[in-house]
Structure formats: C-alpha cells, structure tokens
Amino acid sequence: MAAVTQFAELLAQSQQAVDAGFDVFDMFVHQAVDTRAALMGQIAQGQQALDLFRYNALGAQAGVERLGCWAHARRKFVDAQKVQPKGKTGRADIALNLINKLYGIERDLKNSDDENRKAGRHERSLPVLAHLKSWMEKTQPQVTAQNALGKAINYLASNWNKLERYVEEGYLPIDNNAAERAIRPFVIGRKNWLFSDTPKGATASAQLYSVVETAKANGQEPYAWLRHTLERLPQASSVEDYEALLPWNCSPVSPS
C-alpha cells in the first residue's frame, strides 16, 4: 500500500507579560480553518495574525479583534528603501522614520504596566499614527501600485485599522515578533527532519515545543527547568504542587 503524505499546519499562540509568558503550539492536519476557529473563537481579546486569507474566518467572529503587525508593515518600506537611488532620501524614509518613532515609544514603555503603557501610547503614539496616516493618504494617489513603495503604502492602507488597534490597550503587542521568535527553532528543525511520521507525532512535536519555548519565554534554561520539573512531578499531589513547577513560579539551578 502506497504511503500517503498529509499536509499539516503549526499554529503558534504567544502571550508575553511582565509576570508570565507562554508559547503554545497546536498542529492541525490539512488547512483546518474550522478547527482553528473553534480553538481561537474562545479568545475575546486581540488576536494578532499575518495578513493571510485563511485567518479571515477567525477575524470575522464576534468578540475577536484582529491586530496588524507593524514589523511586517515596516519590512515592506525597508524593501522600498532598498530600491531608492543611493545616497538620496525618499518617501520610504519618511514612513520608516515615523514607524521607528512608534517602536522607540514601545521601548520606553517596555517596563510599564498595562495601564501606564496604554496612557503612554495615547499621549505619544497617537500623534505619530495621525501623522503617518495623513502622509499615507496624501502619498498613496501619487505612487503606482506596482512598485515597491506603492505596495508598501497599499499594505499600510489596507491594514490600517488592524495596525493602529494596538494602542487601544496596554497589553496588546505592536507586532507579531514574539510568535515569530518562538517558531524559529521549529522552522530550523524542520529543515533537518523534514517530516513527522504520523499526525500524532506532529502533535507530540507541537506539545514539546510548547513546553520548551514557554520555559525560554520565562527566562528558564530549558534543560534545567525540565530536569527540575520531571524530578518533582512524581511527588506533586495538589494544584499548588503543580503550579509551583510552572516556569514562571520556580527557579531551578542549572546542573554543573
């Protein structure tokens, strides 16, 4: 009997907070939009995803507010900057300067709590966003949609509502970089092992990556935390015992 290869997708969910962070991976065989919708439909806060058509069903659900990724918007202007005449400042530089100001504000507010980050964004980021939007609306009719700058501006315009939404709350991220960093080890590993033998194997991989990347998101050295946890799991007998082993609640010592 001939072997059948199935297509699967890895969905990454990342939450980075001051007190705890997690990276959770789910493996879906085929492009199971309905499965993703069932999983993500429970989320009432912001959901950040790339501008891909297969996420549209999630964003259309009641209670789900979709966020744009400023890193992707910025990247398109970087591409436009590369094709400008060397040594000359162009329109792409104007957009990049304003986007970099948004990121500078985020760096300043990095250690703030959600309430103060929200207030800081309203005071400092909203004027920058208004400036960028005004420039975008003025410039868009002046450029062709086929060149790099036109593509960058059209992406910005078509995703503007999603891109500016992060300022509404202090806990919303400006970009999707945390999730992209979390999936990088999986992407690199995939180049080596290429395939999962079975759907169950793919699911097991997603679970293992969830554990390891969540440990890393909380500043733990994965091997030290796994050893600490596995040595103590047999003795755990209460909810408190299990919670004490979570990577944001313990301080294992790396073995010498």
Side-chain angles (χ1 to χ4, degrees):
M1 181 178 179
V4 177
T5 300
Q6 293 179 294
F7 179 77
E9 287 184 307
L10 183 77
L11 175 68
Q13 302 173 67
S14 181
Q15 175 66 51
Q16 307 299 320
V18 174
D19 55 344
F22 66 82
D23 293 303
V24 177
F25 300 89
D26 290 280
M27 188 71 71
F28 297 112
V29 177
H30 304 298
Q31 294 187 4
V33 175
D34 291 341
T35 306
R36 279 200 297 268
L39 173 67
M40 299 297 290
Q42 303 173 25
I43 297 179
Q45 297 179 349
Q47 172 223 344
Q48 195 166 47
L50 303 186
D51 185 33
L52 300 176
F53 73 92
R54 58 181 176 272
Y55 287 101
N56 290 339
L58 303 182
Q61 292 186 56
V64 175
E65 295 290 345
R66 188 170 171 187
L67 305 178
C69 175
W70 275 102
H72 283 81
R74 183 184 183 279
R75 199 170 299 154
K76 294 183 183 300
F77 283 102
V78 170
D79 292 339
Q81 185 186 49
K82 291 177 181 177
V83 297
Q84 290 178 169
K86 290 186 177 181
K88 292 187 177 181
T89 300
R91 288 168 168 168
D93 296 284
I94 297 173
L96 287 172
N97 180 54
L98 292 170
I99 295 172
N100 289 340
K101 285 184 178 180
L102 295 175
Y103 273 93
I105 294 167
E106 291 303 300
R107 286 191 294 272
D108 292 343
L109 300 174
K110 181 179 179 180
N111 296 321
S112 301
D113 59 27
D114 290 344
E115 183 177 350
N116 286 323
R117 186 179 298 109
K118 177 180 178 180
R121 286 172 169 177
H122 283 195
E123 178 184 355
R124 301 173 60 189
S125 300
L126 283 177
V128 179
L129 287 167
H131 187 178
L132 181 56
K133 184 178 183 182
S134 176
W135 173 87
M136 174 187 71
E137 291 174 341
K138 178 182 177 181
T139 308
Q140 190 175 20
Q142 302 173 1
V143 298
T144 174
Q146 280 69 44
N147 64 24
L149 180 62
K151 291 177 180 178
I153 293 177
N154 286 342
Y155 180 90
L156 189 67
S158 63
N159 289 281
W160 184 261
N161 290 338
K162 295 189 285 288
L163 286 165
E164 68 172 351
R165 187 168 287 143
Y166 81 97
V167 299
E168 294 178 2
E169 297 294 343
Y171 58 79
L172 296 175
I174 190 173
D175 59 34
N176 204 36
N177 283 350
E180 292 203 5
R181 286 193 298 270
I183 66 174
R184 187 173 294 122
F186 187 92
V187 174
I188 294 173
R190 184 185 59 193
K191 293 180 180 179
N192 295 323
W193 39 261
L194 295 180
F195 302 103
S196 293
D197 189 46
T198 64
K200 288 185 177 179
T203 300
S205 295
Q207 292 168 344
L208 288 172
Y209 274 94
S210 297
V211 170
V212 171
E213 292 303 316
T214 295
K216 290 164 63 176
N218 288 275
Q220 302 285 6
E221 196 285 312
Y223 175 76
W225 176 75
L226 282 169
R227 180 171 177 171
H228 173 92
T229 302
L230 293 174
E231 287 175 345
R232 288 161 179 77
L233 267 178
Q235 286 75 46
S237 59
S238 65
V239 172
E240 290 76 14
D241 291 340
Y242 290 110
E243 288 184 344
L245 297 175
L246 294 172
W248 50 85
N249 286 337
C250 64
S251 301
V253 178
S254 297
S256 55

